[in-house]
Amino acid sequence: MPDRRSFLKTSALGAAAAPILLDGCTPDSGETPESDARSETGVRPVALSTWDHGLAANDAAWPILTGGGSALDAVEAGVRISEADPTVTSVGYGGRPDRFGRVTLDACIMDERGRCGSVAFLQHIMHPISVARQVMEKTPHVMIVGQGALDFALANGFEREDLLHPDAAAAWERWKEENGEVTPRIDVNNHDTIGMLAVDQAGNLSGACTTSGAAFKYHGRVGDSPIIGAGLYVDNEVGGATATGWGEAVIRAVGCFLVVELMRQGHTPQAACELAVERVIEKNPDWRSIQVGFLALGKNGDHGSFCIAPGFNYALHAPDEGNQLIDSGSRI
Ligand code: ASP
């Protein structure tokens, strides 16, 4: 059953966040400082990111959103903070390596025009999200992987770097001693991919998702995070969704596409996330031993989230509400 307390908290905040589009498009008198964040059209920006490091991501995105910038620029700038933060152990620099001690990264980005770009199994590049954006903007493709992605990044001005932080190397040594061949599953203890969704003052949505994936994974393993429709999906007419947790389970359910389609059918972001978690549970008999969480943002700025087991949280920055960390409701 859902954790009632966090479910109620989430539902209440979700309801409080809506409606973001103001009736008659008339901004209010502006007594509160953050009311200024609204555009002349009355659309209030929202930044929504997975996990507690999402707070810093939202902080980076917020000046862009309130300054009239695009949701696309905001989500890219936001997740770059987590990519460069060595204390975030499932993203970018500081991310746990694969079973051979190599840090391999996955990322994707999607904008309000339905354009998308993705890189997977990319090594040596600190900001895979920016490479994904260049795939979207400079090539006719959606996804470039492995050596091809590294070649593309280097040809487009990115620097080759060693991304294995000493703490991650030490964790890898410990894993080799203690576990040998066993790849840990992603449960409540070991995941913190950043997925970020934003709506800008023009009312446009974009999303970004970036990860180092499952710790000590098979070399070459790619999870849900760079797969459009699995780890991220945005439809500017409806809303967006992003996922975190055991990527194999998210891919099987095409999780984020499912969340957005459920919203298209009229479900709230909260209900859509809950139904998508139920679908993951149906398709994964081992669901009690894994974690999967979804985060969704509706076109009107309303949001929702749900996960299998307690422990998933996310950061919400909206005008008049500040930047806050919220516990997701959960099935267990
Ligand atoms: N979903 C990511 C993956 O499976 C991991 C995570 O969320 O931390 O690669």
Side-chain angles (χ1 to χ4, degrees):
M1 287 298 293
D3 172 329
R4 185 169 161 75
R5 215 173 50 159
S6 21
F7 174 74
L8 288 175
K9 188 177 174 192
T10 304
S11 303
L13 280 161
I20 295 293
L21 262 174
L22 301 177
D23 283 344
C25 301
T26 311
D28 67 15
S29 57
E31 289 96 351
T32 55
E34 289 221 329
S35 299
D36 295 342
R38 295 182 187 118
S39 69
E40 284 171 7
T41 58
V43 177
R44 300 192 306 165
V46 174
L48 194 60
S49 302
T50 54
W51 301 111
D52 52 358
H53 53 101
L55 288 168
N58 286 357
D59 278 343
W62 198 244
I64 297 170
L65 292 172
T66 55
S70 70
L72 180 64
D73 286 344
V75 295
E76 181 189 8
V79 303
R80 281 174 62 98
I81 302 296
S82 299
E83 287 181 336
D85 182 347
T87 68
V88 180
T89 59
S90 291
V91 184
Y93 179 51
R96 297 297 182 247
D98 66 13
R99 55 181 47 207
F100 297 149
R102 297 180 192 150
V103 178
T104 73
L105 305 175
D106 304 332
C108 73
I109 194 160
M110 191 162 187
D111 76 3
E112 79 281 358
R113 292 158 60 190
R115 299 185 308 165
C116 43
S118 165
V119 288
F121 188 37
L122 171 63
Q123 298 182 60
H124 307 300
I125 301 294
M126 176 80 77
H127 290 298
I129 198 65
S130 297
V131 186
R133 182 168 176 174
Q134 293 213 11
V135 170
M136 175 176 89
E137 291 180 337
K138 291 188 172 175
T139 81
H141 307 305
V142 167
M143 190 169 197
I144 302 182
V145 307
Q147 184 64 42
L150 178 58
D151 292 345
F152 174 79
L154 296 174
N156 282 280
F158 292 84
E159 270 179 41
R160 184 188 178 103
E161 296 181 69
D162 177 8
L163 300 181
L164 185 61
H165 187 273
D167 291 348
W172 176 55
E173 293 296 343
R174 277 197 304 279
W175 169 77
K176 281 193 293 185
E177 278 166 28
E178 292 166 13
N179 297 288
E181 293 296 298
V182 183
T183 299
R185 302 264 281 186
I186 294 180
D187 56 23
V188 289
N189 300 312
N190 58 355
H191 58 115
D192 55 8
T193 288
I194 187 154
M196 185 167 189
L197 304 161
V199 59
D200 61 30
Q201 288 180 335
N204 287 323
L205 290 156
S206 288
C209 187
T210 177
T211 191
S212 54
F216 320 125
K217 60 197 174 185
Y218 279 76
H219 186 60
R221 179 266 187 187
V222 171
D224 61 313
S225 303
I227 311 282
I228 296 295
L232 178 76
Y233 196 70
V234 174
D235 184 321
N236 208 45
E237 290 176 14
V238 178
T242 190
T244 185
W246 184 234
E248 283 71 3
V250 178
I251 292 171
R252 282 186 202 110
V254 198
C256 287
F257 183 72
L258 175 61
V259 172
V260 172
E261 289 308 296
L262 287 165
M263 290 195 287
R264 190 193 308 279
Q265 290 166 21
H267 294 283
T268 63
Q270 181 63 35
C273 290
E274 291 176 20
L275 288 165
V277 166
E278 287 306 319
R279 181 72 60 84
V280 169
I281 286 171
E282 280 164 23
K283 299 290 176 198
N284 292 272
D286 58 349
W287 65 274
R288 285 185 179 276
S289 62
I290 59 172
Q291 174 68 307
V292 166
F294 293 109
L295 185 59
L297 180 63
K299 174 76 175 161
N300 66 356
D302 200 359
H303 78 279
S305 105
F306 206 64
C307 59
I308 293 177
F312 172 44
N313 55 19
Y314 61 95
L316 167 71
H317 200 157
D320 307 328
E321 295 179 50
N323 194 12
Q324 57 184 312
L325 195 61
I326 300 171
D327 287 330
S328 173
S330 63
R331 175 62 149 65
I332 296 175

